[in-house]
Amino acid sequence: MTDLAHSATRRRASFGGWLIADRQRVQTVVTLFVLVLMVVVFGLINGRFFTVTNFQNLARNTAPLIISACAMTAVMVARGLDLSVGSVLAASSVVAASLAVKGVPLPLAFLGGLVFGGLIGFANGWIIVRMRVSPIIVTLGSLNIARGIAYLITPSAILVGLPPRWSDIGTSNLGPFPVPILIALAVVAVYAWISRRTKFGKHIYAVGGNEEAARLSGISVDRTLIILYVLSGVMAALAGIVLSTRVGSGDPNIGIGFELAVIAAVIIGGTSLSGGEGRILGTVIGAVIIGTLSNGLNLAGVEPFWQYVAQGMVLIAAVVLDRRVNEQVMRLGARS
Amino acid sequence: MTPAAEPLAATPLLRVAGLSKQYPGVRALNEVDFDLVPGEVHCLIGENGAGKSTLVKIIAGAQKPDRGTIEVRGQKTEIQSPRHAKDLGLAFIFQELSVVNGLTVAENVVLGSEPGSAGRFDKAAAVATTRQALAGIGFDSLDPNARVGTLSTAEKQAVMIAKALCANADVIVMDEPTSPLEEQEVQKLFAVIATLKAQGKGIIYVSHKMREIETIGDRVTVFKDGARVATLPRSAISPRELIRLMVGRDLGDIFPAKARTPGRAILEVRGLSGARIHDVDLTVRAGEIVGVAGLVGAGRTELLRSIFGADPVAQGEIRVDGERLHANAVRAAIRAGLGLVPEERRAQGIVPVLSVFDNVLLPWNEFPASRRFKGTPDAVASRAIDSMSVKTPSLAQRISALSGGNQQKVVVGKWLTMNTRLLLLDEPTRGVDVGAKREIYRIIDDLAKDGLAILLVSSELSEVIGLSDRIVVLNGGRVVGELPGNASEAAVVELSMIHGLGASTGSEA
């Protein structure tokens, strides 16, 4: 314990030293700054931004993004990528909805959706590691396949005849907190715990940071990757259930472009595209930035099409800003 | 170094017998016998492709032998996988250090066998184990919580050794462990190896460097063409004999005689300063080889790159043949007759997917006729390849299919297609076997004799001394002295280490 205390005081000795000890910290501080700035600006533009109802809305709308982005962070830290999440979200929610329409009890219907997502994730992971195909190609394929399945289940129409309690998860509150954000926070907690406090978490970073080192250390790289893709599929399905119970339907058109928002959130949050680096906390901030952006622009009455432009610009700006700040901080660190 | 007791009595930690491995078209390993006893350093030596790496890969569980037996501590076994090798107590420290930069020292040391129950990672236990292992090899000062990405190569190696100890390995295989290290770091590694020997570990030490083998080897096994040529005891180790066994002929002195006469000054550098170099003055004459010595981080590579315009120059003047060279512009440098052979051949020297022809003509294609050697592309490429005596089936061969030595000759050769007057050579023989090294030395000497000015950087001191007419010593980015080409290694080391280490290392304050 004395050791821990010792290193803590030594680190606290200088904020700069603490900051540059870990590249990720700089990133987190920068993104947090961007988020605060956005909140302040939106608050000034529209008085309705700072209301409980709006924050509840924001939380409800951002929850699916946070859920899927946590899983994507782990996949990307292990140097993978999952482009299929948007389609898996749609297909899983359609699976769950069609089961519910057929009279299957709701919990089982939801479970069916999650299992479906997991199966797609397993197929992704299995083909990537066993057939040695690049994750971009495999998940680009399953993006189309899952979207196709969604339309096949509900041919070009929105499912009707859902049981009345279908919307419970997406629309109810626990105290002042919308249930979707509570689910998202639970996912965040689990992923943060996995990545920091478990052996599996260390293996994720090892696989992404130096796959050969991981293999030589006796880690099963294939198994690690497959598990991560399965989890990504399950989390996309969970995001789909949260989203479709909020809108109250089983719509095969939902989640188009969702994968790009998820990847943007992960990258804004500081996860390296080349693997080995990344934090759940950063991703959460990244997801909230994207959520806040569309919420704030909506309130400000900006046309939806402009929101795409804004989202793209924020993604690029966040990465550029991070790189600049990092260079500066490192330079100062080297000089001091 | 403590001379070990004659390793005879104990059960071998590892014994292989009749080991053979055939790859398509190549007999990589042919009836090889080898053993390792507790408390010995057993060196493996041989040219690239002689079979050392294949043997190591089989022991590591990365390859399966076609025939032959492996015994670990007297138990016959077949090594199935890297995991199995680890469980058998075999550890490997490869040149490409298998560390994960994003994890901490402790996380790396216990990677794959983390402490903690039911999937939980027990950080305190990991830190304690790591601290103990590091203390055992004299690296107490290394913080188990530090990120491995922030460590030096020597420290990363220590992490790998600590990892081997934590896995209870008693056979530790080191593949060229000193090539990325500084002289004093090498000494520290040798001290660690002595500690490991005292603990009864067996060490298989793969190296090209004769001096190291003389220093720490208890036995040496020489490989040639996939077969074991000889295993010599410590008393019989001599560099000349080893080279004769490896190459199958007596190479004599591997450095050409220094019979060159320097002419007019080609390169004049005055007060050059950049990110890692400070106020450097330097002159290289036609027909002269000037060596640059100094520790890793002394600014050697940065000096070459700054002259070539590849690294930013803040101040100073570079003149080529009396004419002032525009700084910070690679194209201007090439136009003025400069050529750089960079440190990392694969990453910076060649374009692996292109042919030998396309690689050798890379600069030639980019510049007007006035700046390059006259002739048709075919004639120019053939001439460069011939004068470098590159061994390739044809010019259309993909360069990645050539050996390291031949790739390097192509990298040098591409500057012979231009009107090159000054060659900047950065580690020209890194990762090249002894036979090819000797050839590259001869070529460098020939080029200088033909009137080229050559500025040479190498971390192998013997190379700098063996080739150079003058040696410039860098320390902390500054020139701290100049020695004649016949200086002793001790003199060079003294100059590069003793001078006060200036501002460059003071990041603590």
Side-chain angles (χ1 to χ4, degrees):
Chain A
M1 277 302 43
T2 49
D3 288 333
L4 285 175
H6 170 70
S7 66
T9 47
R10 195 179 49 191
R11 262 186 228 137
R12 211 167 292 141
S14 99
F15 178 71
W18 172 83
L19 202 59
I20 61 163
D22 185 348
R23 209 190 73 82
Q24 295 281 308
R25 285 189 188 130
V26 182
Q27 177 101 30
T28 309
V29 170
V30 171
T31 44
L32 206 52
F33 172 76
V34 170
L35 179 58
V36 169
L37 195 72
M38 277 173 51
V39 168
V40 169
V41 170
F42 285 136
L44 290 175
I45 292 175
N46 193 317
R48 273 191 302 152
F49 186 81
F50 280 113
T51 57
V52 172
T53 321
N54 186 46
F55 278 119
Q56 285 175 334
N57 260 337
L58 174 58
R60 215 183 292 279
N61 292 347
T62 315
L65 186 59
I66 295 176
I67 292 168
S68 187
C70 284
M72 184 72 85
T73 305
V75 169
M76 286 173 67
V77 165
R79 215 205 275 226
L81 195 67
D82 188 352
L83 294 175
S84 69
V85 290
S87 300
V88 171
L89 172 149
S92 308
S93 61
V94 168
V95 166
S98 62
L99 287 174
V101 168
K102 290 204 180 80
V104 177
L106 274 179
L108 283 181
F110 292 144
L111 187 65
L114 296 179
V115 169
F116 178 83
L119 285 175
I120 302 259
F122 178 79
N124 280 339
W126 192 85
I127 294 170
I128 288 165
V129 302
R130 288 294 144 84
M131 305 291 145
R132 297 182 186 183
V133 186
S134 132
I136 294 184
I137 296 167
V138 174
T139 58
L140 188 60
S142 54
L143 175 155
N144 285 311
I145 293 168
R147 185 64 66 183
I149 291 173
Y151 286 126
L152 285 170
I153 296 175
T154 57
S156 65
I158 295 173
L159 271 175
V160 286
L162 283 163
R165 303 211 57 189
W166 170 263
S167 299
D168 278 3
I169 292 179
T171 54
S172 55
N173 288 356
L174 212 66
F177 303 108
V179 169
I181 198 67
L182 295 177
I183 294 176
L185 289 178
V187 170
V188 169
V190 169
Y191 263 96
W193 178 74
I194 288 176
S195 70
R196 288 176 168 235
R197 298 270 177 259
T198 68
K199 299 175 184 181
F200 183 68
K202 302 301 164 193
H203 295 179
I204 298 172
Y205 285 88
V207 167
N210 187 340
E211 190 178 321
E212 188 61 16
R215 192 168 281 126
L216 292 174
S217 301
I219 293 170
S220 170
V221 173
D222 291 2
R223 206 190 58 185
T224 306
L225 285 170
I226 290 177
I227 291 174
L228 291 177
Y229 282 105
V230 169
L231 287 177
S232 177
V234 172
M235 290 304 146
L238 181 59
I241 289 166
V242 167
L243 181 57
S244 60
T245 56
R246 176 166 64 78
V247 298
S249 65
D251 181 356
N253 291 304
I254 58 172
I256 291 174
F258 179 71
E259 61 278 349
L260 299 180
V262 169
I263 293 170
V266 174
I267 290 175
I268 292 174
T271 296
S272 159
L273 266 181
S274 46
E277 280 182 345
R279 302 185 152 186
I280 297 298
L281 177 62
T283 293
V284 173
I285 298 173
V288 175
I289 285 180
I290 289 180
T292 307
L293 191 66
S294 74
N295 174 280
L297 293 176
N298 271 337
L299 283 185
V302 176
E303 254 188 284
F305 299 132
W306 278 108
Q307 296 188 16
Y308 287 106
V309 177
Q311 210 183 86
M313 288 186 346
V314 165
L315 171 68
I316 294 169
V319 173
V320 170
L321 182 65
D322 164 61
R323 184 149 303 168
R324 282 290 156 84
V325 172
N326 244 312
E327 281 168 5
Q328 291 297 329
V329 170
M330 291 301 158
R331 199 167 298 154
L332 288 174
R335 208 176 282 159
S336 66
Chain B
M1 243 1 65
T2 46
E6 274 303 303
L8 279 175
T11 319
L13 291 168
L14 177 75
R15 183 208 295 278
V16 307
L19 215 57
S20 297
K21 174 81 188 176
Q22 183 97 24
Y23 293 123
V26 196
R27 176 168 283 178
L29 219 50
N30 188 11
E31 297 289 325
V32 165
D33 300 335
F34 173 85
D35 70 297
L36 179 75
V37 298
E40 82 161 334
V41 175
H42 193 150
C43 299
L44 299 186
I45 189 169
E47 294 190 272
N48 290 344
K52 298 167 306 192
S53 333
T54 310
L55 175 61
V56 170
K57 277 183 197 152
I58 290 173
I59 302 172
Q63 298 272 344
K64 296 253 166 66
D66 299 335
R67 264 176 296 117
T69 57
I70 301 172
E71 283 174 31
V72 178
R73 276 173 248 100
Q75 293 283 317
K76 207 164 169 182
T77 180
E78 275 178 36
I79 301 174
Q80 305 290 346
S81 64
R83 173 93 225 181
H84 187 207
K86 188 181 175 188
D87 293 342
L88 287 168
L90 312 176
F92 298 84
I93 294 162
F94 291 113
Q95 234 172 322
E96 294 287 321
L97 285 170
S98 311
V99 290
V100 182
N101 288 328
L103 295 179
T104 67
V105 170
E107 287 165 352
N108 266 281
V109 166
V110 299
L111 190 63
S113 355
E114 296 86 352
S117 51
R120 208 176 56 82
F121 177 73
D122 187 342
K123 189 181 168 198
V127 167
T129 318
T130 304
R131 189 161 278 146
Q132 193 187 346
L134 287 171
I137 53 171
F139 273 84
D140 321 56
S141 57
L142 210 53
D143 178 4
N145 293 309
R147 292 217 162 215
V148 164
T150 64
L151 305 184
S152 72
T153 310
E155 290 168 332
K156 288 180 182 176
Q157 238 172 28
V159 171
M160 288 303 292
I161 295 173
K163 182 173 175 169
L165 293 178
C166 281
N168 278 324
D170 46 19
V171 174
I172 301 174
V173 181
M174 300 186 181
D175 190 1
E176 298 267 359
T178 59
S179 44
L181 297 187
E182 287 310 331
E183 202 65 30
Q184 87 270 31
E185 293 171 339
V186 170
Q187 294 312 320
K188 184 145 192 195
L189 176 68
F190 287 177
V192 171
I193 290 176
T195 316
L196 297 174
K197 273 171 70 170
Q199 293 168 6
K201 313 280 184 198
I203 290 147
I204 298 175
Y205 190 95
V206 182
S207 180
H208 280 128
K209 295 180 184 166
M210 300 296 160
R211 206 156 46 96
E212 292 176 1
I213 292 167
E214 273 184 290
T215 315
I216 61 162
D218 295 309
R219 286 192 290 164
V220 184
T221 292
V222 184
F223 281 86
K224 180 173 162 47
D225 301 333
R228 186 182 66 114
V229 182
T231 298
L232 307 173
R234 181 182 186 81
S235 51
I237 300 176
S238 87
R240 191 125 186 190
E241 174 67 4
L242 290 178
I243 292 181
R244 193 186 62 75
L245 287 169
M246 271 167 63
V247 184
R249 61 184 188 278
D250 197 339
L251 273 180
D253 196 351
I254 72 166
F255 294 105
K258 292 178 189 171
R260 301 176 289 259
T261 39
R264 66 179 196 288
I266 294 289
L267 176 75
E268 289 167 287
V269 173
R270 295 291 167 258
L272 197 70
S273 297
R276 303 274 293 272
I277 54 170
H278 308 285
D279 202 18
V280 172
D281 287 355
L282 188 73
T283 303
V284 187
R285 295 179 185 82
E288 184 185 43
I289 301 177
V290 174
V292 179
L295 307 178
V296 169
R300 300 173 308 191
T301 294
E302 291 80 0
L303 174 60
L304 293 200
R305 289 178 55 91
S306 301
I307 294 172
F308 195 60
D311 273 359
V313 168
Q315 272 169 24
E317 189 181 80
I318 303 167
R319 285 182 180 275
V320 179
D321 228 352
E323 274 183 52
R324 180 144 188 195
L325 178 65
H326 188 59
N328 301 324
V330 170
R331 287 185 64 87
I334 296 175
R335 249 183 244 121
L338 269 54
L340 173 72
V341 175
E343 186 178 16
E344 304 281 345
R345 179 173 61 245
R346 291 207 136 266
Q348 305 167 332
I350 62 172
V351 184
V353 296
L354 292 183
S355 64
V356 171
F357 181 82
D358 291 334
N359 267 284
V360 82
L361 291 181
L362 274 180
W364 194 85
N365 284 323
E366 293 299 314
F367 287 88
S370 63
R371 301 294 173 183
R372 60 193 201 191
F373 201 85
K374 305 270 184 305
T376 63
D378 287 297
V380 170
S382 305
R383 174 185 162 275
I385 294 305
D386 289 346
S387 60
M388 296 302 298
S389 43
V390 178
K391 288 186 202 95
T392 174
S394 83
L395 286 175
Q397 177 76 40
R398 255 194 191 207
I399 192 164
S400 51
L402 303 189
S403 71
N406 279 304
Q407 289 178 4
Q408 190 69 316
K409 289 187 219 163
V410 174
V411 179
V412 179
K414 75 183 176 194
W415 297 115
L416 304 185
T417 67
M418 308 293 291
N419 288 339
T420 303
R421 292 181 283 187
L422 170 73
L423 265 184
L424 306 162
L425 304 177
D426 197 354
E427 305 285 357
T429 65
R430 177 175 285 179
V432 162
D433 65 50
V434 166
K437 265 187 182 177
R438 185 168 181 267
E439 218 178 327
I440 290 176
Y441 296 151
R442 181 187 58 73
I443 290 168
I444 294 174
D445 176 57
D446 284 350
L447 293 174
K449 276 183 183 148
D450 288 347
L452 235 63
I454 290 172
L455 191 57
L456 166 80
V457 164
S458 172
S459 43
E460 280 187 53
L461 265 185
S462 58
E463 193 166 291
V464 175
I465 291 170
L467 286 172
S468 308
D469 298 303
R470 285 185 294 129
I471 299 163
V472 170
V473 182
L474 287 185
N475 190 332
R478 294 172 194 282
V479 175
V480 291
E482 188 180 311
L483 296 165
N486 58 6
S488 69
E489 292 199 13
V492 179
V493 171
E494 201 183 312
L495 252 187
S496 42
M497 286 173 55
I498 286 178
H499 270 261
L501 299 165
S504 67
T505 51
S507 58
E508 289 302 311

